[in-house]
Structure formats: C-alpha cells, structure tokens
Amino acid sequence: MSSVKQEYNDRPTDSRIEWLRTEVWESYAPYLLIAPAIVFLLSVVAYPILETFRLSLYQSPTNSPVETYVGVEHYVTILQSEIFYQLLWQTGRWVAVSVMLKTVLGLLIAVHLNQEIAGRKFFRTAFLIPWGIPYAISAVVFRWIHHPQYGSLNAILLELGLISSPIGVLGNPSTAWFGAVLADVWIGTPFMAIIFLAGLQSIPDDLYEAAAIDGAEWWHQFRYITLPQLKSVILIATLLATIWTFVSFDVIWTMTRGGPMNSSATLVIWIYRVAFDQGSLGEAAAYSVIGFAFLLVFAVLYLRLYTRGGESL
Amino acid sequence: MTHNNPGDGDGRINRRQMMSLFGAGGAVAIAGCIGGDDPRSSDGDIQFLTMGVGDNIEEFFEENNAAFEEEYDVELDFTSVTWDNAQSTLNTRVDGGEAPDVSRLPARWIPEFAGKEALVPLDEMMEGEFGDRFYEGLVESNYYDGHYYGAPWAQSNKCLYYNKDVFEEAGLDPEDPGLDTWDDMLEAAIEIRDNASTSAYGLPANAALETGSQYYHYHWSFGADLVDDGSPVVNSDEGVEALSFYSDLVQDHEITQPSPLSSSRQDVRRLFENGDLGMVIAHVYAGLNIEDSDQDFDYGIVQVPEGPAGRYNLSTVDSLVIYTQTENEDLARDLFRFYYDEERRFEYSQSKGFLPVLESVADRDFFTEDENWAPFVEASEYARSRPKIPSFNEFNNRVVTAIQEAVGGEKSAQDALDDAQADLEEILE
C-alpha cells in the first residue's frame, strides 16, 4: 500500500489534486450511495426506538398537557410492582406454549403435505386459509366457539357427556390464556407449515434413497436427514414466530382483553392498557423498552446458541 | 444476497443480517405498541368525530350532515370510530395536535381532556338559554373544575327486565313480580333456579367498564361509595356487604348464567333477548331489540332493585365537546345549535335508543306513554354518575379486578376490596 502511495506522491501537484479527488470520491462514494437508505432506516427504525426511550423518561399523565422529566422513575416503579413479574410469567408462558405448538403442528402438517397424498394441492391451499383471515376475525370466531351458552365447544363436550354444565374457558383465570393460545395456534400454524414445506422440498431425494438402501427406518430418516437439513429453516421460523407471538395483540385483546383478573394479559396487552386506557404514555413507553430489551436478549442468546463454534446459520 | 431456498445450505444468513432483521421487527413492534396513526382523513371546514354509528343511525347523520353543509355552506368531515377505539383515537389525536373540532365523548372523560387543556369551556352556552333546555343533572355531569366543558348528547340508564314466561314456569306471578329489593330479586331467582329451565339472572363480569357498571348499583344501594373527597373508600363495611351479596349470587346461590366471568354485557343481553334468561339489568334497547325481533315471549320492565340504603341507577352521559385546537370555534358552535334542534334530538333519541337529553323531548308522549321507554324515563329519578376523577379508567379497572376476584371465588369480598383499596390509594395519590 505504502509504495503505491509513494509513487503517487512523486507526481506533479495537479495530479496530486486529481489523486486526492479520486481518493476522496472512492472513500465517500459508497457512503453517499447508501445515504438515502441509511436516512430511511434511521427514520423508521432508530427514531421510533429512541423516541420510545426518551418518552419512557417522562411523566405523561392523564391530567396534564406538559411532559415532566422523571428519569428512570417509571422503570423503578415497574420493577417494584407485582404485576410486572406476573406479566413476565404470563408472556413467557404464552410465547413458549404457542410457538411450540405452532412448530410441532406445522412440522407434522408439512411432512404430510410433502408426501404423495391424494388432494395434496387442495390441502396445501386449504391449510393456508387460517393465515389469510385477519387475526381479529379469527379471534372473534374462537370467542364464539368458547362461548358458554352458544359455543360449539360446550355443545360437543355436553353431547359427549364430558361435562354436566357449560364451562367458560375464557372466563376462568386458569384457562383463559390457553383459550387464546388455541386461537393463535390455529392462525399461526399454516405459516410454519408452508415454510417447513418449502424447506422439505429442497432436501435432495438421493439422501433419503441412500438412507433407505442402508436400511434406515422412517424415524431415523426424519431424525438424521430431515431435521438437520431443516435446521436453519426451523431456526428462522421459530425466531419469527417468537417475535410475532411476543408482540401479538389482536388475539388476546379480542378474546379476553387480558382478563379475567389480568390472567391472560401479556406485556403488549399491558402496554396498550397503560398507554390508552390509563393514559400514561411515559410508563407505557418504559414497558415497551423493557419488552424490547427482552426480545433483544432473547435474539442474541438464540443466535449464540445456534452459531456456537463459529458455525453460521 | 440470494436466498431463494430457505433450506439450501448455501443460502445462509449471517449473524449481522439476522440482527438487522430483528432490529426492524423490534422497532415495528415497539412503534406499533405506542405509536398512533393519523386518522384525519380530509380537511373539511369542520371535523366532527363520533362513535358507534351503526346501521340504525347512519342515515340520520348522512341526511343531517348534508343539511348542515348546505345551510352553512361548509364542508363537514364526519368520522365515526368504534367505541373500543374511541378513547385511544381521541387521546392520540389530541396529543398529536390533530384533534377534531367537535366530538362526542362520555362525560366521565371530561376531567382527563379538560386536564390536558384540550376542551373549550362552554360556560356561556350552558349557563344561558341553550343550557336551560337540558335536564339539570345532565348539565352538571359536564361540570369540572369550575367550568362546563360539554353539552349532554345522549344519556342511558338501566332497568331490570324479567321474562314473564320464565316467571310463570317458575310459579311466580308475571304481572306482579314483586322485584322491589335485591332480596326480592334473589328470592325470585331461587324459584327460577329450582323450577324453570333457564338461568335466573344475567351477571356480566368479563370486561372492565360493564362489570363495574352492573355492580355499582349494588355498591351504592348498600350505602357504600367509591370515592370520598378524592380518596378511595371502596372497602367500607357497606361495600364489603354489597360485594358479598353480589358474589354470593354466583358462588352460593348459583342463580346466574354459567361462567359470568366470560360473559360481557352484550352476552347477557343477548341471552335475555333470546328468551334464555329470567332477569337482566339492561338498557332501553334490549326491549326495543326484542320488539324488533320475532321473539314471542312476554317481558316486563321494573326499576333496578332497592338496597338497604336506597335505589340508585347508574347513569351514563355522553357529551358534545369543542377542542381547543379548533380554528373554527364559531362554526363548531353552529354545529351545536344545529344538532340540538328539538326535532333532530327527537329523531336521534327515537332511532338510537338513547334517552332524550332535552326536557321538551322527554316529555313527548312517544317516551312517556311507551311501555319500553316509560320505566327508563322514570329511572332518571334515581340517576347517579360514576365519580369524576381523571384516572377513572385505572380506578375502575382495579375495582373490576376485585369484583372478578370475589365473583370468581378467588378471594373473599373483604380481601378483594382491601387489596383494591390499598392499590387505589396509590393510584389516587
């Protein structure tokens, strides 16, 4: 590098200006070219995050037009409140169970749809339908299914003699969250299935043929060929599903509003309630920042786990 | 980078790309959580925002808005949002400097918006000839911190409906149901529980506002209060007695529909309108709905029962307000004068099922002679509003959690209210 520069330095002055110009252009041109994209990203990604963080340091009470700086007071209040830990547990439970069910069911459906079965095209389309229906509408339908008086769930259970009087899944603090999970799984499974199906189709058939010749059973083929080959797809899909489920609002809000007794509320439901029901934007922003931090930590740990030993995704 | 095939070993995503993907997702999530949209659709001369304009009233607004535009030679930008979104829409618009010129809102939100200095005081109007035409109690519900901030737009209260067919099946006298006190109501309900095929009493306990609005009848009529001189007083002896009585309806007497905690106000109303419930406390439109439907059961309407300390009827008043951000205050006042025309108010109350706010309209035979309307006009005598505190929603949510805990059998009424009282003291600090 230095010898090249030396060579340039030996040239007459006008060439040196020329050289400088080229040097500057070559150094800055890439930045100039990507500047619009950076401005765009900063405005839609960085600004909302920073603004949320700024807002979380202010008191924005219901009865005052003025924002008052309160520092980390909101964070202290939140961390000292019982409801926060209840929300953490409920959010974790909601995400873990929902994502796990979506992944397992999605995988089962994908494996089935990847085989030569009658009506395969029909089923592939049919399985996508739940994903295409707006979340809130699906949630309303599920609310009706769970309805103690008019819902089909109770009608079936009563008919089968499994219960003697109607039960209200969404009215019971210990089951309400699971009622919402069922709806969320119904809505979200098709996405997982389609992504997994695409992954399955990219696995070369000769791997299975070779395994079959070696005498590998179906289960062994699944365990030693399908799963490892699908690893990166499963990772992406579950990461996305986790983020979506974590921030999912429509289903819980439409079905239970986080109740009864806040038993089905997650962090996101609480953020909405604090911001718009109780009118405290500052505290809601603090909850948002905490939620964001959790997702960040989760993503980093998740990626660490899967990229251990220098292996890329 | 090409990444056509998610399962392809070559199409791998590295850590940095993953993080940027995640960052965008997170930012959208956060922005989605607390950000607001801008619902201002077009810039007419005046913006009028209201809530819950359904099929039965859409035509009324279409016609009258057009008439207003013609009469004043202006453009009216009329928006209706759902009740679910109403408070967040108004808050977002006011905070974002995009308030409508005029809107409807429940009077209990006035302290919140007046506190933000978002509402124009309407003292001159409400203390003058314009204000004299309303029921006095309704005008007072718009009074906060020394000023009148709104004009009553609609009011609603509740009565006790009973299904005469169910009463007959249970061996009760449908024409003289004797439902004067809560104990009378309980006795009748026990008879229905034992002798009829439907649930006796509809008790909604799922969502916040309506759970409170049903229970407060009991709370007040047992002599308890919610707030006294700015401090919470929910766990008084009378309050505990009221909530014990209320939760016993579910826990001990089992006279309600199954799973009250999953029932909303609409759920129990629908049960009654379908003939599947013996009694329910509901608005005037429950009766109007039954009339319009092809249901063939008979029903009666009586006043909400009396407790040891008297009879109270939760009255909800919605108001029309002008926002301080308006640049058309005069035109906004014209819109008021236009929509408070007596004939328009009559047409509105009649079609929507809200009680009239103008005395001259309420005095009309249509309301006083009709068996669906008359009990509700009479119920105004027992009217009582929710307390006027800026953080009413937060307050109410906490009380409702206590009601749910008692009704669901999680805590005794005493424990539920004691815990609520402790939290409410912090909220109202």
Side-chain angles (χ1 to χ4, degrees), chain B residues 26-38:
Chain B
V28 171
I30 301 291
C33 291
I34 70 154
D37 52 352
D38 177 10

Side-chain angles (χ1 to χ4, degrees), chain B residues 416-427:
Chain B
L417 289 176
D418 283 348
D419 293 349
Q421 173 75 19
D423 288 347
L424 291 171
E425 280 169 11
E426 269 180 46
I427 291 171

Side-chain angles (χ1 to χ4, degrees), chain B residues 46-333:
Chain B
I46 185 162
Q47 293 190 4
F48 180 17
L49 188 144
T50 181
M51 296 97 194
V53 172
D55 295 343
N56 56 343
I57 200 72
E58 205 174 330
E59 204 181 319
F60 169 83
F61 279 111
E62 273 171 16
E63 283 172 10
N64 285 297
N65 287 339
F68 178 79
E69 286 183 327
E70 200 180 316
E71 194 175 327
Y72 289 87
D73 192 24
V74 289
E75 277 202 23
L76 175 66
D77 184 5
F78 180 80
T79 321
S80 168
V81 294
T82 61
W83 275 109
D84 278 355
N85 296 320
Q87 198 168 14
S88 59
T89 304
L90 282 178
N91 264 311
T92 313
R93 293 192 59 172
V94 166
D95 294 344
E98 296 280 342
D101 298 293
V102 173
S103 94
R104 171 186 181 167
L105 51 71
R108 64 178 179 279
W109 297 356
I110 284 180
E112 178 180 346
F113 286 97
K116 288 182 178 190
E117 291 166 23
L119 304 180
V120 174
L122 302 174
D123 299 333
E124 208 178 305
M125 256 177 138
M126 298 315 292
E127 281 165 354
E129 207 178 306
F130 179 86
D132 287 345
R133 303 184 302 150
F134 298 92
Y135 279 110
E136 204 183 321
L138 301 184
V139 175
E140 287 312 307
S141 63
N142 292 279
Y143 189 77
Y144 177 73
D145 213 12
H147 297 287
Y148 293 98
Y149 284 103
W153 173 262
Q155 66 154 320
S156 68
N157 56 23
K158 301 185 183 80
C159 284
L160 180 70
Y161 285 82
Y162 66 98
N163 184 321
K164 290 188 178 178
D165 295 5
V166 172
F167 268 55
E168 205 161 317
E169 192 189 343
L172 297 160
D173 183 356
E175 298 314 320
D176 184 16
L179 295 170
D180 207 41
T181 65
W182 293 121
D183 287 332
D184 296 341
M185 191 275 290
L186 178 59
E187 257 175 58
I190 288 171
E191 289 297 316
I192 295 171
R193 181 196 68 191
D194 294 342
N195 302 310
S197 51
T198 53
S199 301
Y201 181 70
L203 190 146
N206 107 332
L209 200 61
E210 51 213 44
T211 299
S213 75
Q214 290 270 329
Y215 166 72
Y216 293 149
H217 293 115
Y218 292 78
H219 198 75
W220 289 331
S221 70
F222 274 78
D225 209 343
L226 294 167
V227 179
D228 186 24
D229 203 17
S231 303
V233 288
V234 295
N235 67 339
S236 62
D237 291 347
E238 293 84 359
V240 172
E241 208 184 326
L243 187 56
S244 300
F245 183 88
Y246 195 66
S247 54
D248 281 351
L249 298 178
V250 182
Q251 296 294 332
D252 283 6
H253 306 299
E254 295 178 3
I255 57 146
T256 65
Q257 84 284 8
S259 187
L261 285 168
S262 42
S263 302
S264 67
R265 185 177 73 196
Q266 285 83 351
D267 288 330
V268 291
R269 174 171 58 79
R270 231 176 264 134
L271 275 177
F272 187 82
E273 288 172 5
N274 286 337
D276 295 332
L277 200 56
M279 291 176 275
V280 71
I281 292 179
H283 293 103
V284 67
Y285 46 79
L288 301 178
N289 286 349
I290 299 170
E291 295 282 290
D292 288 346
S293 71
D294 49 9
Q295 294 294 344
D296 59 355
F297 67 89
D298 280 337
Y299 61 90
I301 307 173
V302 295
Q303 295 302 311
V304 165
E306 197 175 347
R311 195 193 307 279
Y312 291 98
N313 196 311
L314 180 88
S315 140
T316 304
V317 178
D318 285 357
S319 303
L320 210 58
V321 298
I322 303 178
Y323 290 86
T324 43
Q325 289 174 28
T326 183
E327 287 168 6
N328 288 315
E329 201 178 316
D330 289 342
L331 191 56
R333 285 173 198 271

